[in-house]
């Protein structure tokens, strides 16, 4: 009589099925307790971690709550030191990724934030050139690019659509000795046309900033827009 074989229902078989799910469908398909199970695998190699994962979520309220819980409480809940250390990685990684996003996509939602960004933006600015800051619906910077004088307004609008931008801010460094080159001139007229063209696309021109001998100046506050 041949030996009858059963599919493993122990911890190793369960872990293999979860790994197959991640490989086949991505980690986003896992519930919070399943993600926590997989983290616990790192510190608890030979044990069914599902009951422990569910108990931890019940005790600490959420996945991030578990990852940020004091080590003493995690040990009291039955976790060995290796598992406690494994749970530290997601919170640390999340904080660093969030910090990297803030640095890469600064928020330009008010005058102070804009001026802080311009401190660095001015380093590469050439006098007399218009730059456009493309923003998302939370006023986070998507791109800081030189206005395409050849492509004109149409090129700027196409770029905004590509980036899924919802707002713009203009920036120009004034030429030396020219106190207010934008006042009533071609640059202000161009920006007004850009504002009008963007309106049907739900694209807002928040403002434009001129840096000249008197400091930063808002086109709107000056009445140029």
């Amino acid at each position: 009589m041949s030996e009858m074989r059963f599919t493993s229902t122990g911890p190793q078989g369960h872990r293999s099925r979860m790994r197959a799910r991640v490989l086949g469908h991505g980690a986003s398909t896992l519930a919070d307790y399943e993600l926590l199970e997989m983290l616990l695998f790192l510190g608890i190699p030979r044990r069914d971690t599902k009951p422990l994962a569910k108990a931890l979520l019940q005790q600490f309220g959420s996945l991030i709550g578990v990852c940020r819980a004091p080590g003493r409480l995690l040990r009291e809940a039955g976790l060995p030191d290796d598992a406690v250390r494994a749970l530290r990685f997601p919170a640390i990684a999340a904080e660093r990724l969030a910090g990297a996003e803030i640095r890469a996509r600064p928020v330009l939602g008010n005058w102070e934030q804009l001026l802080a960004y311009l401190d660095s933006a001015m380093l590469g600015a050439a006098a007399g050139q218009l730059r456009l800051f493309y923003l998302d619906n939370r006023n986070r910077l998507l791109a800081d690019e030189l206005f395409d004088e050849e492509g004109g307004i149409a090129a700027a609008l196409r770029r905004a659509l590509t980036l899924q931008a919802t707002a713009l801010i203009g920036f120009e460094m004034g030429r030396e000795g020219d106190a207010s080159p934008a006042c009533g001139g071609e640059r202000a007229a161009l920006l007004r046309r850009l504002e009008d063209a963007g309106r049907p696309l739900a694209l807002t021109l928040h403002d434009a900033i001129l840096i000249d001998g008197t400091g930063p100046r808002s086109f709107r506050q000056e009445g140029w827009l």
Side-chain angles (χ1 to χ4, degrees), residues 23-102:
L23 292 174
H25 305 286
S28 62
T29 63
L30 299 178
D32 281 359
Y33 79 88
E34 292 173 316
L35 286 170
L36 184 53
E37 275 190 83
M38 298 200 77
L39 289 170
L40 292 173
F41 291 170
L42 300 174
I44 306 176
R46 288 176 295 278
R47 177 177 160 192
D48 181 3
T49 56
K50 181 189 290 187
L52 180 57
K54 290 186 174 182
L56 289 170
L57 288 172
Q58 180 69 28
Q59 179 177 350
F60 296 106
S62 65
L63 181 59
I64 191 62
V66 175
C67 293
R68 289 178 171 169
R72 174 182 59 82
L73 295 181
L74 292 173
R75 293 183 183 91
E76 289 177 359
L79 270 66
D81 287 345
D82 286 347
V84 172
R85 284 190 286 268
L87 291 179
R88 293 291 174 251
F89 288 111
I92 293 171
E95 289 170 1
R96 293 191 181 180
L97 289 170
E101 183 177 10
I102 290 172

Side-chain angles (χ1 to χ4, degrees), residues 49 89 92-93 112 114 118 148 176 179 205 209 215:
T49 56
F89 288 111
I92 293 171
E112 290 73 21
L114 180 57
L118 287 177
D148 182 352
E176 186 176 356
L205 177 65
I209 307 301

Side-chain angles (χ1 to χ4, degrees), residues 141-224:
L141 182 67
L142 300 173
D144 169 357
E145 298 177 354
L146 191 64
F147 178 73
D148 182 352
E149 298 284 356
E150 183 175 344
I153 291 173
L157 296 179
R158 284 195 299 270
R159 183 61 174 149
L161 291 172
T162 299
L163 293 168
Q164 297 184 328
T166 61
L168 298 170
I169 296 176
F171 166 64
E172 182 173 347
M173 180 73 73
R175 294 184 178 87
E176 186 176 356
D178 191 350
S180 55
C183 182
E186 294 182 3
R187 186 63 78 210
L190 170 65
L191 289 166
R192 287 194 294 268
R193 292 197 302 273
L194 177 60
E195 181 176 30
D196 291 341
R199 195 171 290 116
L201 303 177
L203 181 66
T204 301
L205 177 65
H206 283 329
D207 203 342
I209 307 301
L210 173 70
I211 303 290
D212 61 16
T214 64
R217 306 172 70 181
S218 160
F219 275 55
R220 292 208 181 278
Q221 292 178 5
E222 297 286 345
W224 301 336

